[in-house]
Amino acid sequence: MKYDNISQLDDEKFRRLTGIKRITFEIMIEIITQAQAVKKAKGGRPNTLQVPDMFLMTLEYLREYRTYFHIANSYGVSEASAYKTIRWIEDTLIKSGKFSLPGRRALYGDQIEYDVVLIDATETPIQRPQKNKEDTTLKKRKSIH
């Protein structure tokens, strides 16, 4: 399958193609394989694709922004199957907790330095010329009845 073709690449080209290092790829494959073993222990139909190919399909979706239709045609599965597989792999990796990003609070921590900006918002009268009748001249319109 596709993984057989790219497994022969050296580490630099592998990272350029997939977007992740080979070591990270293998760790993720282990997590997905364990999750699939738990899922398939209950029984069910075997998958059309092997785990590395399913993960490559997910990486193509995330990295290249390809549509499910294009990915499904590349891997020889249905569009619905591609969608379900990609969502399952994303959820499995998120649930593992090894590849989640820190939350917003972790980024702030105790290292925050606040810059205080004060704005004077008091009301001040605007000086405008006063209107009076001497300055404005009214003109009568004769065309209006």
Side-chain angles (χ1 to χ4, degrees):
M1 301 284 191
K2 288 200 174 202
Y3 179 69
D4 295 335
N5 295 336
I6 69 165
S7 64
Q8 307 301 325
L9 297 175
D10 63 341
D11 290 340
E12 181 183 341
K13 289 182 181 178
F14 184 86
R15 191 194 63 73
R16 284 180 60 197
L17 183 65
T18 61
I20 59 176
K21 294 180 181 179
R22 190 181 301 266
I23 297 167
T24 309
F25 186 87
E26 291 170 1
I27 293 170
M28 290 180 171
I29 291 296
E30 288 176 17
I31 292 170
I32 295 167
T33 304
Q34 291 172 358
Q36 186 182 24
V38 171
K39 180 180 174 184
K40 294 295 181 179
K42 300 174 186 174
R45 187 172 168 192
N47 292 333
T48 306
L49 299 173
Q50 299 297 320
V51 172
D53 288 329
M54 292 190 313
F55 186 53
L56 280 175
M57 183 169 56
T58 304
L59 288 176
E60 282 185 23
Y61 174 74
L62 295 173
R63 185 167 166 83
E64 300 173 7
Y65 300 112
R66 295 176 64 194
T67 62
Y68 291 115
F69 179 74
H70 287 108
I71 291 173
N73 283 330
S74 296
Y75 284 89
V77 295
S78 68
E79 190 174 355
S81 177
Y83 172 78
K84 288 177 188 176
T85 302
I86 291 170
R87 291 292 304 192
W88 180 77
I89 288 178
E90 288 175 345
D91 293 342
T92 302
L93 291 174
I94 289 170
K95 286 178 187 176
S96 73
K98 293 184 180 180
F99 301 103
S100 60
L101 296 173
R104 286 186 284 177
R105 293 181 185 169
L107 295 175
Y108 291 127
D110 295 333
Q111 302 169 358
I112 298 176
E113 293 183 19
Y114 292 101
D115 292 332
V116 178
V117 178
L118 298 175
I119 299 174
D120 184 16
T122 57
E123 291 186 27
T124 56
I126 299 174
Q127 296 179 358
R128 294 185 181 150
Q130 296 294 321
K131 290 184 180 180
N132 53 17
K133 291 184 181 181
E134 296 170 3
D135 293 339
T136 58
T137 319
L138 297 175
K139 186 176 180 183
K140 292 185 180 181
R141 296 185 194 175
K142 294 182 179 181
S143 63
I144 301 176
H145 299 293

PDB file of all heavy atoms in Angstrom, residues 115-121:
ATOM      1  N   ASP A 115       0.836  45.187  31.095  1.00  0.00           N
ATOM      2  CA  ASP A 115       1.057  46.562  30.690  1.00  0.00           C
ATOM      3  C   ASP A 115      -0.244  47.290  30.926  1.00  0.00           C
ATOM      4  O   ASP A 115      -1.294  46.897  30.410  1.00  0.00           O
ATOM      5  CB  ASP A 115       1.429  46.651  29.212  1.00  0.00           C
ATOM      6  CG  ASP A 115       2.787  46.058  28.935  1.00  0.00           C
ATOM      7  OD1 ASP A 115       3.623  46.072  29.850  1.00  0.00           O
ATOM      8  OD2 ASP A 115       3.001  45.587  27.802  1.00  0.00           O
ATOM      9  N   VAL A 116      -0.181  48.342  31.719  1.00  0.00           N
ATOM     10  CA  VAL A 116      -1.382  49.086  32.057  1.00  0.00           C
ATOM     11  C   VAL A 116      -1.415  50.356  31.220  1.00  0.00           C
ATOM     12  O   VAL A 116      -0.447  51.120  31.177  1.00  0.00           O
ATOM     13  CB  VAL A 116      -1.412  49.427  33.567  1.00  0.00           C
ATOM     14  CG1 VAL A 116      -2.635  50.236  33.896  1.00  0.00           C
ATOM     15  CG2 VAL A 116      -1.345  48.161  34.384  1.00  0.00           C
ATOM     16  N   VAL A 117      -2.529  50.559  30.560  1.00  0.00           N
ATOM     17  CA  VAL A 117      -2.726  51.750  29.757  1.00  0.00           C
ATOM     18  C   VAL A 117      -3.947  52.465  30.315  1.00  0.00           C
ATOM     19  O   VAL A 117      -5.021  51.879  30.430  1.00  0.00           O
ATOM     20  CB  VAL A 117      -2.961  51.391  28.274  1.00  0.00           C
ATOM     21  CG1 VAL A 117      -3.219  52.639  27.466  1.00  0.00           C
ATOM     22  CG2 VAL A 117      -1.787  50.618  27.733  1.00  0.00           C
ATOM     23  N   LEU A 118      -3.779  53.722  30.679  1.00  0.00           N
ATOM     24  CA  LEU A 118      -4.887  54.529  31.194  1.00  0.00           C
ATOM     25  C   LEU A 118      -5.342  55.484  30.113  1.00  0.00           C
ATOM     26  O   LEU A 118      -4.524  56.114  29.438  1.00  0.00           O
ATOM     27  CB  LEU A 118      -4.459  55.304  32.439  1.00  0.00           C
ATOM     28  CG  LEU A 118      -4.029  54.454  33.627  1.00  0.00           C
ATOM     29  CD1 LEU A 118      -3.517  55.345  34.745  1.00  0.00           C
ATOM     30  CD2 LEU A 118      -5.181  53.615  34.118  1.00  0.00           C
ATOM     31  N   ILE A 119      -6.634  55.587  29.979  1.00  0.00           N
ATOM     32  CA  ILE A 119      -7.215  56.490  28.993  1.00  0.00           C
ATOM     33  C   ILE A 119      -8.058  57.499  29.733  1.00  0.00           C
ATOM     34  O   ILE A 119      -8.938  57.134  30.529  1.00  0.00           O
ATOM     35  CB  ILE A 119      -8.076  55.710  27.978  1.00  0.00           C
ATOM     36  CG1 ILE A 119      -7.210  54.699  27.241  1.00  0.00           C
ATOM     37  CG2 ILE A 119      -8.755  56.660  27.016  1.00  0.00           C
ATOM     38  CD1 ILE A 119      -7.981  53.790  26.332  1.00  0.00           C
ATOM     39  N   ASP A 120      -7.808  58.774  29.481  1.00  0.00           N
ATOM     40  CA  ASP A 120      -8.595  59.828  30.092  1.00  0.00           C
ATOM     41  C   ASP A 120      -9.856  60.003  29.261  1.00  0.00           C
ATOM     42  O   ASP A 120      -9.810  60.469  28.126  1.00  0.00           O
ATOM     43  CB  ASP A 120      -7.793  61.133  30.132  1.00  0.00           C
ATOM     44  CG  ASP A 120      -8.546  62.237  30.846  1.00  0.00           C
ATOM     45  OD1 ASP A 120      -9.526  61.927  31.557  1.00  0.00           O
ATOM     46  OD2 ASP A 120      -8.156  63.411  30.694  1.00  0.00           O
ATOM     47  N   ALA A 121     -10.975  59.608  29.817  1.00  0.00           N
ATOM     48  CA  ALA A 121     -12.236  59.645  29.081  1.00  0.00           C
ATOM     49  C   ALA A 121     -13.206  60.646  29.692  1.00  0.00           C
ATOM     50  O   ALA A 121     -14.410  60.458  29.662  1.00  0.00           O
ATOM     51  CB  ALA A 121     -12.862  58.269  29.059  1.00  0.00           C
TER      52      ALA A 121
END
